[in-house]
Amino acid sequence: MTHEELLLIKKLELEEQAHHKKCLKVCVAAGCVSQNSEQVKESLEKELKSRRLEDEYHVKGVGCLGLCAAGPLVAIDEDKRMLKEINPEDAVHVVDQLKKPGTSKKECPTSMPFFQRQQKIVLENCGKIDPERIEEYIAVDGYEGLYKVLHDMNPNEVVQELIASGLRGRGGGGYPTGLKWSTVAKTQSVKKYVICNADEGDPGAFMDRAVLESDPHRILEGMAIAAYAIGADEGFIYVRAEYPLAIKRLKNAIKQAERKGLLGTNIFGTPFSFSISIRLGAGAFVCGEETALIASIEGGRGTPRPRPPYPAESGLWGKPTLINNVETLANIAPIIRKGADWYSSIGTETSKGTKVFALAGQIENTGLIEVPMGITLRDIIFEIGGGIPNGKAFKAVQTGGPSGGCIPADHLDTAVDYESLTRLGSIMGSGGMILIDETSDMVEVARYFMEFCMSESCGKCVPCRVGTAQIYDLLSKISGGEAVDQDLSLLEDLCDVVKNTSLCGLGQSAPNPVLSTLKYFRKEYLTKIQQPEAAH
Amino acid sequence: MPNGSNIKVKTLKIDGKDVSAREDQTILDVCKENGVFIPTLCHLEGLSNIGACRLCMVEVEGSKKLFPSCTTAITEGMSVITQTDRLKHYRKMILELIFAERNHTCSVCVSNSHCDLQYLGQKMGIDHVRVPYRFPKQSVDASHPYFQLDHNRCILCTRCVRVCEEIEGAHVWDVSGRGINAKVITDLNQPWGTSETCTTCGKCVNVCPTGALSDKGRSVAEMTKRREFVALLANRRKEKV
Amino acid sequence: MKVKIATVWLDGCSGCHMSFLDMDERILSIADKIELVYSPLVDHKTFPDMVDVTIVEGAVASTDDLAKIKKIRAHSKILIALGDCAVNANVPSMRNPIPVDEIINRAYVENALINKDMPVHPALPPLLKRVMPVHEVVKVDLFIQGCPPKNDTIFFAIAELLEGRVPDLTTMTRFGA
């Protein structure tokens, strides 16, 4: 593959797309697929064909259109319009009203803040391109970033660009990505690895899955750029087996990239070679932890080990290893294409760029959104998210998954970035946001997350293995109205021990949902302890 | 000591006292060498360190984080604090969590008075366990002709797993299950007595800190253990290399 | 005034009481300072209104134990858990992983040679679902581990208490001692 060939593919693809003036885009990411969107696509094709409209309108499967709650979604008129809740039987109706916009009962107003207030970098191609065709990715400047680094930049310049961009790890920790790259780049080793952590496991989080299903090539390109920057020639994508669609599209994307010479040896005619393999995880939450993930790829039991040594120094098979999360890698190509200055102009002082959030729980617009860092929780939940359904009042938002915490109404005007959420006793985490309304019981919320951590603990270290089980039992006791006053101090004591002595992040953050609900909703705990009959 | 001449010597402070150490030593190594007591359970000299029991956590001046001394390498000028109220509090709670996890009925245990857990409980001043005992239903595997495994007493330190893999080279033992349901297994979770990989060397039995692994036919308090051989064997091998 | 002492026997083997008696002639040295107001060793039938020190042997295993220990706690200034059964439920708790019905059935029906019948009588207090250490039910002020604790340990503990000190028993006893 040469640059000219890449440009030619782009040109041909754009011509092809221009040929079909109009396009019906059917969401074929997991949310809509689970609602039969693939059959919707087929029946639309059939209907258009039967009316001999197939030359005028082209039906295409695209990645996530965002508003999962209203799926299956179909975008028409260059995405100016969208139809929601389309069943395969609705094909006649959809085609009927193509020429009569605004007449459909199934109209999904694209003017609503959900669509208007977002800023898309990571999701820029989601819902636009067909995730199963590399040509479509190339047509939107795909692999230009890789060409640019291989042709115009030396590895250190790439690292410096990343540092300047201010990008921080989107997997949860928020560690500066450029710094991580530079650490691995500086290690002396002929063999290094790049790993894409696609072991997304937080309850209510589906950002990474959507990216993998909607725009897989973006991850491959991000990994290749990373590999060039740090001096690696081999990469792994560690993805959970529960994401079959993401796996299928990744496999397809890798094959396509290999055929086009965008993965493999001497990419773009340079000495740079890079190959990517997929490793399937069995869905253990702890395998999202770097060292456990490495152990799992190596074929061992997925348990973490103490750090240091960090994977950057001694990772996969003892070699220096760069591990980045899906969303982090999805940011790489745009940063390279558009420059660090552009990227760092978005966001807040300490947190640059955008963040993808998965809105779930008791919220009107369940789905996937991407917003600039610094936006307030209120804007996310009430503007974009459309607020709490059924006229109920907002009680709390749980961010950061089982490692995060619950934030009450008093703090809705907090501008979202890594530091502000940490100050509130929660974390950014990978980007799950679970909305909790006034009818929810916060002790039960804490108990739910503790049950998750207890069953996902690997069992290696004592505080996490036994501590989470003891905390869970105590929460059950409080919930059941059987607790006494001292149990609350024992609960706090246990949380303190588990937080400060556990081996890895899972245990260290497992008490967060309890601690944050104790901080903001202590009254609910006290009521259950002091007036157990009132609690029922 | 491999490449002895290349290893640098560093100085550091343990509880305010200046000590010197080789750069490849852990905080625990240096503490032991200098007679500073740090409680440990998963650690055993001669086996790899995994930092799992969390009893050996220490404070290092300038950091809020705690460090497992068995896996933390010393650095020049570091100041280690091994005994504080906070550490004592955590160590006690961790021990109590272990006592409450399974069914450690010391009074009827073969290893009564020869048990690392019991010893540490006393040493750390634990006179009762504050968290509720969990009383899980655990089994006993007595299928091996010479040894027996009592899951009631197992604390999942994985010394047996490591000694079998690292010293004996048989890898009979492993861990299955997750979290509170984790347990040690032989072969692919088959009865120990049917194991085709077990060499009946008894190393696992001797390194076991509690009464989980014992010789058959021992009555209460009879099961003594010899642990020194692990360090001896490990060191001999190192010298040979 | 003499210090009023009571001893109580819940679910245990009485070994701790035996060990208590093993203090032998040393009891005489404290006899003029204490008055044994309630105990399996003496003949008082009801628990007195207020006792200075109550020493409890055994775990809480039946509804009767539960009622007793709550009452005793209310009428004792200092409560001592004596021995492993009181401190960690010890041998009596070995039934805990097994459901109560199953275990009674095994003892009185499956393995019985004669009169295979579940023991049901109004005078027999039902067993609790699980046996508990005393401190899981009421507040305990001092723990003396051991199965049984040595007479020296018991003597030391009582002598220290009589001197108004909290005894440090960490080097003298342990679980299973």
Side-chain angles (χ1 to χ4, degrees):
Chain A
M1 170 74 74
T2 63
H3 194 225
E4 287 68 33
E5 284 167 335
L6 190 73
L7 292 174
L8 182 64
I9 294 173
K10 178 178 172 179
K11 182 168 162 271
L12 291 174
E13 178 63 23
L14 289 175
E15 280 171 13
E16 169 77 16
Q17 286 175 10
H19 170 71
H20 298 289
K21 281 205 186 87
K22 290 169 181 163
C23 188
L24 296 182
K25 293 176 187 162
V26 182
C27 174
V28 289
C32 287
V33 166
S34 70
Q35 308 243 50
N36 293 329
S37 70
E38 278 170 336
Q39 285 88 324
V40 170
K41 183 172 170 253
E42 274 172 35
S43 64
L44 281 174
E45 279 164 349
K46 227 189 255 164
E47 185 61 26
L48 288 167
K49 205 165 187 183
S50 74
R51 302 200 201 178
R52 306 190 177 229
L53 288 169
E54 71 263 36
D55 283 338
E56 190 178 346
Y57 290 96
H58 170 63
V59 183
K60 145 166 136 177
V62 294
C64 187
L65 282 162
L67 191 60
C68 306
L73 292 163
V74 179
I76 47 184
D77 289 351
E78 289 161 356
D79 307 339
K80 283 195 210 66
R81 292 177 59 209
M82 202 179 284
L83 299 177
K84 62 180 179 182
E85 292 159 9
I86 299 299
N87 302 315
E89 308 83 67
D90 293 332
V92 179
H93 169 73
V94 174
V95 178
D96 275 349
Q97 61 78 63
L98 278 176
K99 309 232 158 137
K100 292 176 268 177
T103 57
S104 174
K105 287 188 306 249
K106 302 218 165 182
E107 202 78 36
C108 179
T110 49
S111 59
M112 65 195 227
F114 183 87
F115 295 104
Q116 295 301 322
R117 298 252 351 233
Q118 295 195 43
Q119 180 172 3
K120 295 192 172 182
I121 297 172
V122 170
L123 304 178
E124 62 184 348
N125 297 335
C126 291
K128 298 220 169 7
I129 66 166
D130 181 345
E132 301 196 351
R133 293 188 60 238
I134 191 171
E135 293 81 4
E136 293 215 15
Y137 181 68
I138 292 172
V140 289
D141 294 333
Y143 292 104
E144 275 296 332
L146 178 60
Y147 173 75
K148 184 175 169 186
V149 297
L150 293 182
H151 211 257
D152 302 339
M153 299 168 89
N154 67 36
N156 183 45
E157 284 165 347
V158 181
V159 171
Q160 292 310 320
E161 192 73 9
L162 253 289
I163 291 174
S165 76
L167 176 67
R168 292 168 67 173
R170 297 293 192 244
Y175 191 78
T177 307
L179 185 57
K180 203 177 201 178
W181 285 27
S182 95
T183 312
V184 190
K186 284 192 175 120
T187 55
Q188 300 282 327
S189 173
V190 284
K191 187 78 191 175
K192 296 179 190 179
Y193 296 98
V194 174
I195 295 176
C196 168
N197 183 350
D199 193 57
E200 183 173 57
D202 291 2
F206 45 93
M207 300 78 53
D208 294 349
R209 190 189 69 195
V211 173
L212 296 171
E213 287 172 356
S214 309
D215 199 6
H217 283 287
R218 162 180 295 260
I219 303 305
L220 308 187
E221 187 179 1
M223 287 177 76
I225 293 170
Y228 173 71
I230 64 158
D233 66 352
E234 200 176 349
F236 290 92
I237 302 174
Y238 187 80
V239 55
R240 48 180 49 224
E242 287 105 319
Y243 283 181
L245 191 58
I247 294 161
K248 183 181 142 213
R249 295 204 173 133
L250 276 172
K251 279 187 178 160
N252 178 54
I254 292 172
K255 205 183 285 170
Q256 290 172 345
E258 282 170 350
R259 284 213 187 116
K260 292 259 187 288
L262 294 164
L263 288 175
T265 49
N266 304 112
I267 298 169
F268 283 121
T270 66
F272 175 66
S273 300
F274 183 59
S275 63
I276 296 178
S277 334
I278 295 177
R279 286 290 181 275
L280 302 189
F285 180 63
V286 74
C287 287
E289 197 279 344
E290 293 187 341
T291 58
L293 186 154
I294 287 171
S296 179
I297 291 183
E298 288 173 351
R301 185 174 153 84
T303 58
R305 58 156 178 80
R307 301 177 300 175
Y310 288 91
E313 190 190 327
S314 174
L316 192 57
W317 291 296
K319 304 294 180 206
T321 303
L322 173 74
I323 305 182
N324 279 142
N325 147 276
V326 169
E327 193 184 332
T328 313
L329 288 165
N331 273 301
I332 304 303
I335 289 175
I336 295 298
R337 278 201 321 267
K338 300 182 189 171
D341 290 343
W342 161 78
Y343 193 80
S344 63
S345 69
I346 306 162
T348 69
E349 190 55 39
T350 56
S351 307
K352 301 298 182 192
T354 57
K355 179 77 193 79
V356 182
F357 290 105
L359 300 180
Q362 286 134 348
I363 188 159
E364 200 64 54
N365 300 331
T366 302
L368 206 63
I369 59 160
E370 183 172 1
V371 288
M373 295 276 192
I375 189 172
T376 65
L377 285 168
R378 189 182 299 281
D379 279 353
I380 293 178
I381 296 160
F382 290 94
E383 278 287 301
I384 299 172
I388 313 299
N390 307 322
K392 294 282 188 303
F394 168 90
K395 187 172 195 177
V397 55
Q398 209 281 347
T399 75
S403 315
C406 294
I407 302 170
D410 296 352
H411 298 285
L412 273 175
D413 290 308
T414 305
V416 173
D417 69 14
Y418 288 99
E419 282 71 22
S420 65
L421 293 183
T422 307
R423 269 197 303 275
L424 293 178
S426 187
I427 56 165
M428 176 78 76
S430 57
M433 273 198 187
I434 301 174
L435 272 296
I436 296 164
D437 76 14
E438 57 183 331
T439 61
S440 295
D441 173 338
M442 299 312 282
V443 180
E444 280 301 314
V445 170
R447 198 168 80 101
Y448 167 80
F449 281 107
M450 194 46 67
E451 184 179 16
F452 180 86
C453 290
M454 171 179 77
S455 45
E456 291 297 339
S457 166
C458 77
K460 181 173 178 175
C461 79
V462 178
C464 180
R465 182 179 75 231
V466 199
T468 54
Q470 287 284 359
I471 294 174
Y472 174 75
D473 287 351
L474 254 179
L475 290 171
S476 302
K477 200 173 158 194
I478 294 171
S479 245
E482 293 159 13
V484 291
D485 281 346
Q486 301 94 281
D487 284 332
L488 206 56
S489 58
L490 181 61
L491 179 67
E492 285 174 321
D493 214 350
L494 282 167
C495 285
D496 177 47
V497 173
V498 174
K499 191 182 168 90
N500 286 299
T501 63
S502 289
L503 196 162
C504 83
L506 194 159
Q508 287 160 11
S509 62
N512 284 356
V514 183
L515 292 171
S516 75
T517 47
L518 271 172
K519 184 173 169 188
Y520 297 119
F521 302 95
R522 197 180 187 87
K523 240 174 49 200
E524 292 191 26
Y525 284 85
L526 290 173
T527 310
K528 281 180 190 282
I529 293 171
Q530 289 157 0
Q531 303 156 273
E533 57 297 326
H536 285 282
Chain B
M1 197 188 315
N3 307 321
S5 56
N6 290 335
I7 290 190
K8 296 192 183 91
V9 175
K10 313 229 158 164
T11 57
L12 62 151
K13 274 191 165 65
I14 307 273
D15 296 330
K17 202 180 116 201
D18 288 310
V19 295
S20 64
R22 295 195 321 268
E23 63 176 350
D24 64 345
Q25 285 186 297
T26 63
I27 295 175
L28 182 64
D29 291 336
V30 182
C31 286
K32 275 185 164 178
E33 215 173 83
N34 288 278
V36 176
F37 172 77
I38 292 181
T40 55
L41 270 179
C42 64
H43 163 84
L44 185 68
E45 202 171 330
L47 299 181
S48 63
N49 284 310
I50 54 167
C53 74
R54 316 307 280 171
L55 284 172
C56 72
M57 304 276 273
V58 294
E59 292 180 18
V60 172
E61 231 166 69
S63 173
K64 270 192 251 168
K65 256 179 58 184
L66 302 176
F67 296 83
S69 60
C70 67
T71 58
T72 308
I74 56 111
T75 55
E76 178 65 41
M78 86 191 315
S79 177
V80 177
I81 305 143
T82 67
Q83 314 293 332
T84 64
D85 287 347
R86 182 179 175 221
L87 289 172
K88 198 174 158 197
H89 173 76
Y90 287 155
R91 287 170 185 165
K92 276 179 93 162
M93 184 56 102
I94 289 168
L95 278 172
E96 288 177 49
L97 287 173
I98 299 175
F99 272 115
E101 184 181 14
R102 294 196 179 179
N103 306 306
H104 297 279
T105 319
C106 299
S107 60
V108 291
C109 177
V110 286
S111 283
N112 188 5
S113 79
H114 310 289
C115 170
D116 290 1
L117 177 63
Q118 189 186 35
Y119 163 76
L120 281 182
Q122 184 183 27
K123 179 107 183 162
M124 297 285 112
I126 290 173
D127 59 5
H128 74 294
V129 171
R130 288 164 292 174
V131 293
Y133 286 87
R134 299 182 53 81
F135 297 116
K137 197 165 181 176
Q138 295 287 348
S139 59
V140 174
D141 181 350
S143 60
H144 193 283
Y146 304 114
F147 315 123
Q148 62 193 11
L149 160 63
D150 184 351
H151 288 291
N152 290 290
R153 317 277 194 245
C154 176
I155 60 167
L156 290 168
C157 67
T158 70
R159 283 189 194 172
C160 54
V161 178
R162 284 173 287 152
V163 81
C164 190
E165 184 190 339
E166 296 165 14
I167 303 293
E168 178 64 5
H171 201 139
V172 175
W173 293 97
D174 220 315
V175 182
S176 88
R178 273 197 236 166
I180 198 76
N181 299 317
K183 61 169 196 164
V184 291
I185 53 166
T186 42
D187 283 356
L188 295 169
N189 201 12
Q190 297 303 300
W192 193 359
T194 66
S195 169
E196 290 178 6
T197 52
C198 178
T199 62
T200 312
C201 72
K203 290 186 175 68
C204 53
V205 174
N206 275 295
V207 299
C208 176
T210 68
L213 293 173
S214 61
D215 293 341
K216 262 192 175 169
R218 299 293 170 114
S219 75
V220 170
E222 276 189 343
M223 184 64 217
T224 57
K225 310 232 172 163
R226 292 179 307 112
R227 308 219 162 92
E228 309 71 35
F229 76 92
V230 186
L232 264 170
L233 281 175
N235 282 331
R236 289 266 165 80
R237 284 185 196 172
K238 254 191 231 160
E239 279 160 21
K240 213 175 150 194
V241 173
Chain C
M1 230 186 40
K2 286 187 175 181
V3 175
K4 288 182 184 167
I5 290 187
T7 75
V8 185
W9 177 17
L10 302 179
D11 193 0
C13 71
S14 93
C16 296
H17 272 88
M18 297 299 129
S19 198
F20 182 89
L21 290 175
D22 277 348
M23 286 192 285
D24 296 337
E25 74 280 4
R26 278 175 298 178
I27 291 179
L28 298 176
S29 70
I30 52 172
D32 54 338
K33 293 182 192 153
I34 63 165
E35 184 189 349
L36 199 56
V37 292
Y38 180 88
S39 169
L41 310 169
V42 295
D43 205 21
H44 299 281
K45 299 290 185 240
T46 51
F47 198 84
D49 232 15
M50 191 45 78
V51 173
D52 295 307
V53 179
T54 301
I55 301 170
V56 183
E57 171 191 344
V60 181
S62 68
T63 54
D64 185 53
D65 293 340
L66 192 62
K68 249 191 212 158
I69 194 67
K70 283 185 173 163
K71 186 176 170 197
I72 287 164
R73 175 70 263 190
H75 297 274
S76 306
K77 287 181 190 159
I78 293 175
L79 189 71
I80 300 177
L82 177 68
D84 280 354
C85 294
V87 174
N88 64 25
N90 201 23
V91 173
S93 73
M94 288 170 72
R95 75 160 162 90
N96 283 0
I98 304 158
V100 174
D101 285 352
E102 237 173 78
I103 210 154
I104 294 187
N105 193 56
R106 173 66 76 93
Y108 290 93
V109 181
E110 274 178 50
N111 287 348
L113 295 175
I114 49 163
N115 297 337
K116 288 173 185 278
D117 204 359
M118 294 291 267
V120 195
H121 188 278
L124 289 174
L127 295 184
L128 298 173
K129 225 168 91 186
R130 62 191 201 104
V131 183
M132 290 175 284
V134 174
H135 70 269
E136 227 180 289
V137 184
V138 295
K139 182 171 174 280
V140 171
D141 302 296
L142 181 69
F143 298 86
I144 307 178
Q145 306 129 288
C147 186
K150 284 198 182 66
N151 54 56
D152 292 346
T153 311
I154 300 173
F155 177 76
F156 175 77
I158 293 174
E160 286 287 285
L161 282 172
L162 288 175
E163 293 297 320
R165 290 190 290 258
V166 180
D168 176 8
L169 304 170
T170 46
T171 56
M172 300 189 72
T173 191
R174 53 168 166 76
F175 295 132

